Amino acid sequence: DMSGPGRGKKCSLCTKILQQIKAMAGDDPDEAAVEKALGKACRALGRRLGRACKRVVKKYREEISEALQNGDQPQDTCAAIGFCEA
């Protein structure tokens, strides 16, 4: 159901960004893998998305890094940093 709460533009943008980072970090990434993925993921998303990605990563680097290392789902992480409704 795409019309429920927490399905706004910001939420889907955040989820997309985190899915990209997660895919690049691989399963069970360590901090170094996450750092590398954070750098590459934004470039991989293209210019328009990449700009938004860089902003999100810059502001929430700690949270995103921790979430990836914990194996949290992108949707949950985006809810935790306020982009999606939990």
Side-chain angles (χ1 to χ4, degrees):
D1 163 48
M2 295 304 277
S3 63
R7 290 284 185 191
K9 262 200 168 60
K10 267 170 64 174
C11 180
S12 61
L13 180 74
C14 177
T15 309
K16 204 174 265 155
I17 291 168
L18 262 82
Q19 281 166 340
Q20 180 74 40
I21 297 170
K22 192 178 160 95
M24 290 189 154
D27 294 330
D28 201 22
D30 59 11
E31 205 170 329
V34 171
E35 283 299 313
K36 244 185 16 216
L38 286 174
K40 287 195 311 204
C42 291
R43 283 201 298 274
L45 287 166
R47 209 162 57 216
R48 206 173 60 85
L49 260 180
R51 270 208 302 269
C53 177
K54 282 197 182 86
R55 276 201 305 272
V56 171
V57 166
K58 203 170 150 180
K59 193 166 180 192
Y60 300 106
R61 192 175 205 100
E62 285 294 301
E63 291 89 337
I64 292 171
S65 179
E66 214 164 281
L68 286 166
Q69 291 173 65
N70 290 340
D72 297 346
Q73 289 308 306
Q75 179 86 21
D76 297 335
T77 307
C78 290
I81 58 178
F83 280 84
C84 300
E85 289 172 36

